[in-house]
Amino acid sequence: MTQTQNPSVDPKNVPGPLRGIKVLDLSRVLAAPFCMQNLGDLGADIIKIERPGVGDESRHWGPPFMTGPDGQPTKESAYFLSANRNKRSVTVDLTKPEGQAVVRKLAEQADICIENFKVGDLARYGLDYKSLSKINPRLIYCSVTGFGQDGPWAERPGYDYLFQGLGGLMSVTGERDDRPGGGPQRVGVPIVDLFTGMYATVSILAALRDRDLRGEGQHLDISLMGAVMTMCGGHLSNFMISGKMPARSGNVSPNIMPYGVFPCSDGPMIVASANQNQFKSFCKALGHPEWAEDPRFLTNAGRIENQEALNALFSAVTITRTRAEWDAILLDAGVPAGPINNFGQALEHPQVQHLKTRIGLPHATGVEAPGIASPMRFSKSPVSYRRAPPMLGQHTREVLAELGMDEAAIQALAQSGAIGL
């Protein structure tokens, strides 16, 4: 089921806790755009600045590309569509003084500015925090970079994949080296980008609250390197406490047992038994309550030490029934369990259907742009989906007119190459 929404985009009618907040978005790719989509869903007015003729490079990261009314692929990549709804696209050439003047005018009226350029790049154009905070002391300016604003690696570029490796995440992701397919693996989604975007979201919201208290904005320094290290905090804690280097363990938890994947007659299922009572219930549901009294398995530490033996016992029983049969049995036993779904199956899950997770928005190409709903649910100021991800430069005239420019002034900017129309 697709939930189609397109409420009025009149700022007076926009719902959400961030209604009335204006954001200048100088970002591209994923981490910062994902943050901006969060703020847009919460009601903020996001003005996305893109390079004329090219735009956000993620627009070109396909296939797949969205299909137009004629059945042919458009230039709108699925990757771009996933993180850019509720934004207005304005094409500005930041290298031209006239373009810089447009962005400074927008910054004067903005509550928030976000950018993910390399350290120092925007200072060349007078668009860094130091410059913009002089014309708007209340501006909250968020910089998202690979390594942060200072330090020995600050000026290096980097993407999600690199940080999954540098931060140690890949060292604990994947099958054990002594098993088929063993070796480091990246997580199947750009998880460091997404976590960084969430940390940026939280930081911006906290800075808005701080501005309410102190009356001025500040500079936020959010890095993928910082995010991945925090994400790996559990494994890093294990290492710092024990001195033992965490290793890849495939689908087996290094800290909890039984907590992993078990075979059924029609495919694998996950059992996530996280406490002693659930372990006992799992053993009973398998028809072997005596396993819970086995001296080897009495404690979680003992089960971790003897996990090979325990997994073999469990697997010999779980393989005898289907996943649906075990789902019913373990639900009745109070043991968390479920199948490993592909994305198609996940979208068809009854709870996903109930949450109306799949949405659609009317796109400027004339078709509906699919999307995934925000998980943020409010009882009184709900999120909203007002705009499909924009086409490149779709709102340039609209936004410049809001700045007080007439058509002649807009055409002059276009002829100078400062903007694209």
Side-chain angles (χ1 to χ4, degrees):
M1 177 185 295
T2 299
Q3 179 187 15
T4 300
Q5 294 193 30
N6 191 29
S8 171
V9 294
D10 184 337
K12 296 178 181 178
N13 298 328
V14 171
L18 295 186
R19 57 191 179 276
I21 295 294
K22 295 184 178 181
V23 184
L24 173 59
D25 179 5
L26 303 176
S27 71
R28 65 241 188 260
V29 186
L30 183 57
F34 178 64
C35 167
M36 290 293 94
Q37 181 166 275
N38 288 333
L39 300 187
D41 288 352
L42 292 169
D45 180 15
I46 313 294
I47 298 174
K48 183 179 179 73
I49 304 299
E50 300 189 70
R51 187 158 49 130
V54 179
D56 186 325
E57 51 259 58
S58 70
R59 288 182 177 275
H60 312 286
W61 288 358
F65 294 93
M66 187 170 65
T67 301
D70 59 359
Q72 298 300 311
T74 67
K75 295 181 179 180
E76 310 301 311
S77 75
Y79 198 110
F80 178 83
L81 294 175
S82 73
N84 285 282
R85 67 170 171 254
N86 284 335
K87 303 177 186 180
R88 295 192 283 172
S89 173
V90 177
T91 46
V92 179
D93 187 340
L94 300 184
T95 68
K96 294 185 176 296
E98 301 91 339
Q100 296 159 18
V102 168
V103 174
R104 276 192 285 272
K105 186 67 174 176
L106 289 168
E108 287 180 14
Q109 303 179 4
D111 297 281
I112 300 159
C113 176
I114 191 167
E115 58 91 10
N116 59 352
F117 285 74
K118 287 191 293 185
V119 173
D121 271 10
L122 289 180
R124 297 180 298 165
Y125 310 133
L127 301 177
D128 57 322
Y129 171 68
K130 183 178 180 180
S131 300
L132 295 185
S133 63
K134 290 178 180 177
I135 62 175
N136 183 358
R138 289 176 56 82
L139 184 67
I140 294 163
Y141 190 105
C142 181
S143 295
V144 177
T145 56
F147 297 97
Q149 292 296 298
D150 47 48
W153 281 44
E155 296 184 3
R156 294 197 184 197
Y159 289 94
D160 175 276
Y161 204 155
L162 176 63
F163 294 97
Q164 289 199 32
L166 287 176
L169 180 58
M170 289 176 64
S171 75
V172 294
T173 305
E175 191 52 81
R176 284 172 18 185
D177 288 344
D178 61 345
R179 293 194 171 178
Q185 291 285 321
R186 71 176 180 89
V187 179
V189 298
I191 194 167
V192 182
D193 271 336
L194 297 173
F195 261 77
T196 304
M198 289 306 301
Y199 279 117
T201 302
V202 172
S203 299
I204 288 169
L205 297 179
L208 281 171
R209 171 58 175 158
D210 183 72
R211 191 184 69 176
D212 288 343
L213 298 173
R214 296 190 302 107
E216 62 180 355
Q218 60 182 296
H219 190 195
L220 309 178
D221 176 8
I222 311 297
S223 71
L224 275 73
M225 193 78 214
V228 72
M229 296 302 290
T230 302
M231 289 167 55
C232 296
H235 282 293
L236 286 167
S237 182
N238 286 348
F239 171 62
M240 292 184 290
I241 294 297
S242 69
K244 183 179 179 181
M245 190 64 66
R248 290 179 294 280
S249 57
N251 288 320
V252 177
S253 169
N255 296 108
I256 310 171
M257 181 67 191
Y259 201 84
V261 176
F262 298 90
C264 301
S265 61
D266 61 345
M269 73 170 177
I270 294 171
V271 175
S273 171
N275 61 52
Q276 193 69 16
N277 286 335
Q278 289 176 351
F279 169 62
K280 291 180 179 179
S281 296
F282 186 40
C283 293
K284 184 178 179 181
L286 294 178
H288 291 276
E290 72 278 6
W291 289 346
E293 306 303 323
D294 189 309
R296 297 172 296 172
F297 312 140
L298 282 176
T299 65
N300 184 70
R303 294 193 288 275
I304 293 293
E305 184 178 351
N306 296 282
Q307 63 179 261
E308 294 284 352
L310 188 55
N311 273 335
L313 292 173
F314 287 156
S315 297
V317 178
T318 59
I319 194 66
T320 63
R321 294 179 183 268
T322 66
R323 290 182 293 183
E325 289 173 321
W326 282 122
D327 185 66
I329 293 169
L330 296 179
L331 176 63
D332 186 60
V335 178
I340 298 175
N341 288 331
N342 59 35
F343 286 131
Q345 293 165 331
L347 284 172
E348 294 300 319
H349 190 283
Q351 189 63 26
V352 171
Q353 295 276 317
H354 172 77
L355 293 173
K356 298 180 180 178
T357 300
R358 183 168 182 168
I359 63 172
L361 287 166
H363 192 270
T365 56
V367 298
E368 184 179 88
I372 298 297
S374 170
M376 297 181 284
R377 299 168 72 91
F378 294 72
S379 64
K380 295 183 179 179
S381 52
V383 303
S384 62
Y385 313 112
R386 307 175 302 283
R387 300 179 185 271
M391 296 183 70
L392 180 60
Q394 180 180 339
H395 304 96
T396 301
R397 275 195 172 87
E398 176 183 308
V399 171
L400 295 184
E402 290 174 5
L403 288 177
M405 296 184 188
D406 58 21
E407 183 62 23
I410 294 173
Q411 288 296 333
L413 284 173
Q415 290 172 7
S416 73
I419 66 170
L421 293 178

